[in-house]
């Protein structure tokens, strides 16, 4: 506690000494923000590409980057000084016990965690998961054919099954009845809800973490969730350890971690949380992105679906679903996927905030060591009526004024970029191709036969953001397309049966 006080005092003196060089910004900030990205966009529009916002975190100022260029210059080009994390009192310490690498500061634990995640999800390794994605994608297409109204549940099941197969070696056939998936969704909802900048006073005044839970209901809820998380992650790890001991484990990311545990120097609890990293992040991001794609189809599909289906018919034909091998020739489909990631990124705050580990000067502005750096993806100074309202895949077929090679920042920046980006991109590309090959996605009709309007800005609150429920019409392009979907789904389920043996069900 004394160390925190001394650090805050040093920061205050440093800020006073460099007052004339500090970035511009509001003199006070809003707290209890449900949708901070909206507030940050207002701050950037008023104060510029680099703005200082006081009172959001402990230990140092918060700097909001209001353009992709500023984020690239600092988080990518100067990544060595901007790859740490700020202190997360509620989400990192109270909820996670310092065991989530996502929120770990730059140091040995984080480097070990990062190296481990990359070994399981780097680009070359992620291609080995494509058979799973291909098979589950065929099942998703069948689910959309049989029950189009339940499309959100089908997207969640697909995303959950892929990530659970990759991580733990077993399928998910129904999200609602799968206790592990439901517990994980609850854990992620809690994590993303507590990580909203400015939500808890304890982030600004860390001494509040020591208030007994009996006098702090918010703390009691967080600690209760932490115990649930530990039981879930350790239960999953112990289940895999038991199967390994009996020689019946399906090779997966967790079996890889157990093989490398001694070399990694991780305890069982550290290993359990590490295995849970892709499990936690992969479901909401993939299903949320595909939900945004459906929303774009409803609102803008008349502009891009005909061109996409022409490309699919020309490259793929009518007698099979698209495959990963087709992707090099499906340039417009890839552009639609990239535009979806740009248009409505799930990690709307640009991922977990960064922290600077050295004093820096950028465009004449002083950024002190220990600053919290937020690069929200909604801080473009263009109003929502242009950049975030329009869905235009063609922008990815043209020269783009956006730094880097992706044309978007949906997976974050610099050394903290999402380790699962290759797996997620593959899922988004393949499923968009197959959905548009098999179906016409259009606005739902009311009882009078009129299109039901949707709100393209109606998204959930929290650290991650996905579309709120909306209606749409999903119909097969023809009876022949429906037959192909049914045929390939039957074959996929036959191949997936090996992941549903009694050992996996036990």
């Amino acid at each position: 506690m004394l160390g925190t006080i001394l650090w805050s005092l040093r920061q205050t003196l440093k800020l006073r000494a460099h007052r004339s060089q500090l970035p511009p910004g509001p003199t006070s900030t809003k707290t209890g923000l449900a949708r901070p990205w909206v507030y940050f966009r207002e701050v950037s529009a008023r104060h510029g590409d680099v703005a200082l916002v006081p009172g959001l975190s402990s230990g140092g100022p918060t700097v909001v980057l209001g353009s992709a260029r500023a984020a690239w210059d600092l988080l990518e080009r100067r990544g060595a000084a901007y790859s740490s994390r700020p202190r997360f009192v509620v989400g990192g310490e109270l909820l996670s016990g310092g065991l989530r690498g996502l929120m770990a500061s730059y140091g040995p634990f984080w480097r070990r965690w990062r190296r481990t995640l990359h070994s399981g999800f780097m680009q070359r390794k992620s291609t080995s998961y494509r058979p799973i994605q291909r098979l589950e994608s065929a099942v998703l297409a069948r689910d959309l054919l049989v029950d189009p109204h339940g499309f959100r549940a089908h997207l969640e099941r697909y995303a959950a099954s892929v990530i659970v197969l990759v991580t733990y070696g077993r399928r998910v056939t129904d999200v609602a009845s799968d206790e592990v998936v439901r517990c994980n969704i609850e854990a992620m909802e809690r994590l993303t809800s507590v990580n909203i900048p400015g939500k808890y006073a304890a982030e600004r005044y860390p001494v509040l973490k020591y208030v007994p839970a009996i006098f702090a209901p918010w703390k009691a809820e967080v600690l209760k969730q932490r115990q649930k998380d530990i039981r879930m992650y350790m239960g999953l790890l112990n289940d895999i350890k038991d199967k390994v001991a009996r020689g019946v484990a399906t090779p997966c990311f967790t079996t890889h971690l157990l093989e490398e545990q001694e070399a990694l120097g991780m305890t069982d609890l550290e290993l359990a949380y590490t295995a849970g990293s892709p499990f936690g992040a992969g479901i909401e991001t993939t299903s949320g992105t595909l939900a945004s794609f459906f929303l774009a189809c409803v609102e803008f599909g008349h502009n891009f679906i005909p061109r996409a289906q022409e490309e699919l018919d020309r490259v793929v034909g009518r007698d099979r679903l698209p495959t990963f091998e087709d992707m090099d020739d499906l340039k417009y489909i890839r552009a639609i996927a990239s535009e979806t990631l740009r248009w409505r990124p799930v990690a709307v705050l640009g991922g977990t905030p960064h922290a600077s580990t050295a004093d820096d000067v950028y465009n004449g502005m002083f950024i002190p060591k220990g600053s919290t750096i937020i690069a929200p993806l909604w801080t473009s100074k263009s109003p929502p009526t242009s950049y975030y309202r329009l869905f235009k895949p063609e922008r990815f077929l043209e020269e783009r004024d956006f730094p880097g090679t992706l044309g978007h920042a949906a997976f974050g920046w610099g050394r903290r970029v999402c380790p699962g980006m290759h797996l997620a991109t593959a899922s988004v590309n393949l499923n968009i191709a197959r959905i548009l090959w098999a179906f016409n996605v259009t606005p739902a009709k009311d009882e009078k036969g009129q299109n039901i309007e949707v709100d393209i800005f109606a998204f959930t609150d929290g650290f991650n953001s996905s579309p709120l429920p909306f209606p749409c019409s999903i119909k097969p392009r023809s009876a022949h397309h429906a037959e192909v979907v049914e045929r390939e789904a039957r074959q996929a389920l036959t191949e997936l049966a090996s992941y549903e043996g009694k050992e996996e069900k036990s």
Side-chain angles (χ1 to χ4, degrees), residues 114-259:
R114 181 72 172 181
R115 184 171 64 252
T116 303
L117 265 291
H118 270 295
S119 70
F121 292 93
M122 62 185 177
Q123 186 168 13
R124 185 171 57 186
K125 179 65 175 178
S126 69
T127 60
S128 67
Y129 304 135
R130 288 186 175 181
I132 290 173
Q133 293 171 290
R134 173 180 59 83
L135 296 172
E136 288 291 5
S137 179
V139 177
L140 171 60
R142 192 280 313 270
D143 290 344
L144 294 172
L145 179 67
V146 173
D147 176 29
H149 296 294
F151 72 98
R152 294 295 290 269
H154 305 324
L155 298 179
E156 282 193 8
R157 190 217 62 82
Y158 165 83
S161 195
V162 167
I163 205 66
V164 174
L165 272 167
V166 168
T167 306
Y168 297 109
R170 71 169 183 85
R171 285 197 73 214
V172 173
T173 57
D174 180 23
V175 169
S177 63
D178 193 301
E179 183 179 1
V180 170
V181 174
R182 286 191 289 106
C183 288
N184 175 72
I185 291 174
E186 179 185 345
M188 287 302 100
E189 287 177 348
R190 174 68 66 180
L191 178 62
T192 57
S193 70
V194 303
N195 261 2
I196 298 175
K199 181 173 182 178
Y200 290 95
E203 300 297 345
R204 186 175 183 183
Y205 306 106
V207 68
L208 294 177
K209 70 175 281 190
Y210 300 105
V211 175
I214 192 173
F215 300 119
W218 62 271
K219 180 179 177 180
E221 290 181 9
V222 168
L223 294 179
K224 181 180 179 181
Q225 183 64 50
R226 176 177 171 179
Q227 292 306 311
K228 287 184 179 180
D229 292 351
I230 291 174
R231 287 194 298 270
M232 176 181 68
Y233 292 135
M234 285 302 298
L236 289 165
L237 180 67
N238 289 331
D239 181 56
I240 297 296
K241 289 175 73 173
D242 176 65
K243 290 177 180 178
V244 168
R246 291 186 288 123
V248 297
T250 301
C252 58
F253 180 54
T254 305
T255 59
H256 166 70
L257 290 180
L258 288 169
E259 291 169 358

Side-chain angles (χ1 to χ4, degrees), residues 76-125:
E76 291 279 353
R77 290 181 171 175
R78 306 184 191 183
Y82 289 92
S83 293
S84 195
R85 293 292 197 212
R87 183 180 181 184
F88 294 99
V89 176
V90 180
E93 298 173 19
L94 291 177
L95 179 60
S96 308
L99 293 173
R100 279 194 168 95
L102 176 70
M103 292 178 284
S105 60
Y106 195 87
F109 173 75
W110 176 78
R111 286 193 292 269
R112 190 166 62 244
W113 176 85
R114 181 72 172 181
R115 184 171 64 252
T116 303
L117 265 291
H118 270 295
S119 70
F121 292 93
M122 62 185 177
Q123 186 168 13
R124 185 171 57 186
K125 179 65 175 178

Side-chain angles (χ1 to χ4, degrees), residues 177-380:
S177 63
D178 193 301
E179 183 179 1
V180 170
V181 174
R182 286 191 289 106
C183 288
N184 175 72
I185 291 174
E186 179 185 345
M188 287 302 100
E189 287 177 348
R190 174 68 66 180
L191 178 62
T192 57
S193 70
V194 303
N195 261 2
I196 298 175
K199 181 173 182 178
Y200 290 95
E203 300 297 345
R204 186 175 183 183
Y205 306 106
V207 68
L208 294 177
K209 70 175 281 190
Y210 300 105
V211 175
I214 192 173
F215 300 119
W218 62 271
K219 180 179 177 180
E221 290 181 9
V222 168
L223 294 179
K224 181 180 179 181
Q225 183 64 50
R226 176 177 171 179
Q227 292 306 311
K228 287 184 179 180
D229 292 351
I230 291 174
R231 287 194 298 270
M232 176 181 68
Y233 292 135
M234 285 302 298
L236 289 165
L237 180 67
N238 289 331
D239 181 56
I240 297 296
K241 289 175 73 173
D242 176 65
K243 290 177 180 178
V244 168
R246 291 186 288 123
V248 297
T250 301
C252 58
F253 180 54
T254 305
T255 59
H256 166 70
L257 290 180
L258 288 169
E259 291 169 358
E260 300 294 324
Q261 183 173 12
E262 185 174 350
L264 293 169
M266 286 185 169
T267 67
D268 277 3
L269 189 57
E270 289 176 331
L271 208 71
Y273 267 87
T274 300
S277 296
F279 183 35
I283 297 176
E284 184 179 13
T285 51
T286 299
S287 64
T289 298
L290 290 173
S292 291
F293 161 70
F294 275 100
L295 184 62
C297 287
V298 172
E299 185 74 4
F300 305 102
H302 59 282
N303 291 331
F304 69 85
I305 290 178
R307 180 175 176 178
Q309 291 179 335
E310 184 279 326
E311 180 182 70
L312 287 161
D313 292 344
R314 174 168 41 83
V315 173
V316 179
R318 288 171 43 87
D319 298 323
R320 63 176 178 84
L321 292 176
T323 66
F324 284 113
E325 288 70 29
D326 297 315
M327 283 303 159
D328 285 345
D329 297 319
L330 294 174
K331 295 182 180 179
Y332 194 63
I333 293 297
R334 299 200 316 271
I336 293 171
S338 294
E339 177 68 349
T340 302
L341 289 162
R342 179 209 67 81
W343 183 63
R344 292 294 184 270
V346 173
V348 68
L349 286 173
T352 306
H354 293 227
S356 60
T357 55
D359 292 341
D360 194 16
V361 176
Y362 177 68
N363 289 346
M365 291 174 283
F366 178 73
I367 301 175
K369 174 182 177 180
S371 296
T372 295
I373 312 296
I374 301 177
L377 305 182
W378 257 54
T379 52
S380 168

Side-chain angles (χ1 to χ4, degrees), residues 496-506:
L496 286 166
S498 61
Y499 295 99
E500 297 177 353
K502 65 179 181 179
E503 293 297 348
E504 281 68 42
K505 290 182 178 180
S506 60

